[in-house]
């Protein structure tokens, strides 16, 4: 974060909602069969943008320099447990029950979300993206995947989305797949910033000299 005492400009930093989703779900006793389900259930229009929203923890004077990055759960229905069902992820279609009245098309819905984030003072909207397409199977080709991501990149370009955090998902460890996604973004959303997050378990420090 830019700590200089001057007007803040877009600099690539973001406020990610994931840890906040857990804190808010716990504080408000949001229902769900495990913690990640509760976290996903905490992503709704009223939770994010309501008068008493608990998501916006950064002082207003800093918001102009950062993206508001909405993490895992915005494009799947309530109650999705990824340990049991991973297939729905990757649609980039804003869930209609969590975000009512946002528009008729996927682009309109993303644009409404983007505008709400900017209206709060952030420099733009960031999104958690799962590197897979919904309900893919063994007959799904790489060309199918490419068409999917080219279309989604165009949606986000037209909607004014600024940042993708590509993380988790079925193809998170496939270099060729992530390169394909990057190509789709560069072709259809050249100003979109991309983060290919490293998926790993939490690091708690080496337990023995050999672990170092």
């Amino acid at each position: 974060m830019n700590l200089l005492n001057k007007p803040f400009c877009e600099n690539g930093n973001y406020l990610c909602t994931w840890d906040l989703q857990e804190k808010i779900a716990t504080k408000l006793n949001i229902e769900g069969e495990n913690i990640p389900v509760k976290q996903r259930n905490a992503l709704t229009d009223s939770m994010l943008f309501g008068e008493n929203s608990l998501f916006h923890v950064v002082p207003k004077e800093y918001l102009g320099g950062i993206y508001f990055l909405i993490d895992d759960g915005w494009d799947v229905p309530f109650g999705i447990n990824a340990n049991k069902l991973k297939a729905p992820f990757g649609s980039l279609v804003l869930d209609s029950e969590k975000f009512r009245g946002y528009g008729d098309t996927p682009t309109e819905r993303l644009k409404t979300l983007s505008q709400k984030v900017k209206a709060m003072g952030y420099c733009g909207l960031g999104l958690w993206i799962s590197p897979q397409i919904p309900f893919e199977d063994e007959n799904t080709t790489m060309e199918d995947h490419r068409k999917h991501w080219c279309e989604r990149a165009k949606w986000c370009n037209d909607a004014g989305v600024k940042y993708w955090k590509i993380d988790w998902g079925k193809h998170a460890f496939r270099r060729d797949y992530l390169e394909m996604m990057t190509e789709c973004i560069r072709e259809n959303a050249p100003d979109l910033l991309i983060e290919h997050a490293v998926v790993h378990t939490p690091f708690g420090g080496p337990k023995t000299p050999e672990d170092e």
Side-chain angles (χ1 to χ4, degrees):
M1 179 176 287
N2 181 356
L3 297 178
L4 297 177
N5 186 22
K6 63 180 183 180
F8 286 82
C9 59
E10 188 172 337
N11 55 43
N13 290 310
Y14 60 73
L15 169 64
C16 179
T17 64
W18 185 243
D19 284 342
L20 288 167
Q21 288 168 235
E22 181 176 357
K23 291 182 175 68
I24 291 167
T26 301
K27 182 179 179 66
L28 300 181
N29 295 314
I30 292 175
E31 295 182 355
E33 61 183 301
N34 61 27
I35 293 297
V37 172
K38 294 177 182 180
Q39 288 175 272
R40 295 184 185 106
N41 289 347
L43 286 185
T44 67
D45 174 77
S46 60
M47 290 286 186
L48 288 169
F49 303 112
E51 184 177 347
N52 298 314
S53 176
L54 300 174
F55 276 100
H56 309 288
V57 296
V58 175
K60 289 183 179 180
E61 59 266 30
Y62 298 137
L63 297 185
I66 63 175
Y67 306 118
F68 186 62
L69 194 146
I70 302 176
D71 212 289
D72 181 348
W74 63 273
D75 62 346
V76 291
F78 286 112
I80 291 294
N81 184 344
N83 293 330
K84 296 179 179 179
L85 184 64
K86 293 183 172 66
F89 292 90
S91 73
L92 274 73
V93 177
L94 205 64
D95 183 70
S96 59
E97 188 175 358
K98 293 178 178 178
F99 300 92
R100 297 177 183 272
Y102 269 52
D104 297 324
T105 69
T107 303
E108 288 174 353
R109 298 175 65 74
L110 287 169
K111 187 173 183 179
T112 299
L113 184 63
S114 176
Q115 290 172 338
K116 286 199 170 194
V117 166
K118 290 178 182 177
M120 298 199 71
Y122 295 94
C123 68
L125 170 65
L127 294 172
W128 176 88
I129 306 291
S130 181
Q132 62 183 61
I133 64 176
F135 302 98
E136 61 182 85
D137 57 29
E138 65 276 4
N139 296 317
T140 308
T141 67
M142 197 62 161
E143 186 57 31
D144 294 328
H145 287 275
R146 181 177 291 277
K147 289 178 180 178
H148 176 89
W149 291 114
C150 284
E151 180 182 51
R152 269 57 180 178
K154 190 175 187 309
W155 288 356
C156 287
N157 183 69
D158 294 344
V161 176
K162 294 295 192 74
Y163 198 104
W164 279 13
K165 176 191 174 188
I166 300 173
D167 181 26
W168 188 73
K170 184 174 181 179
H171 304 293
F173 295 100
R174 284 183 56 186
R175 182 187 179 101
D176 63 329
Y177 195 92
L178 300 180
E179 288 179 344
M180 176 272 294
M181 289 182 69
T182 300
E183 291 170 2
C184 292
I185 294 165
R186 291 288 172 254
E187 292 168 7
N188 296 279
D191 296 326
L192 185 69
L193 292 178
I194 316 161
E195 174 188 353
H196 289 292
V198 178
V199 182
H200 58 80
T201 55
F203 175 69
K207 302 299 187 295
T208 68
E210 289 77 15
D211 287 341
E212 294 185 12

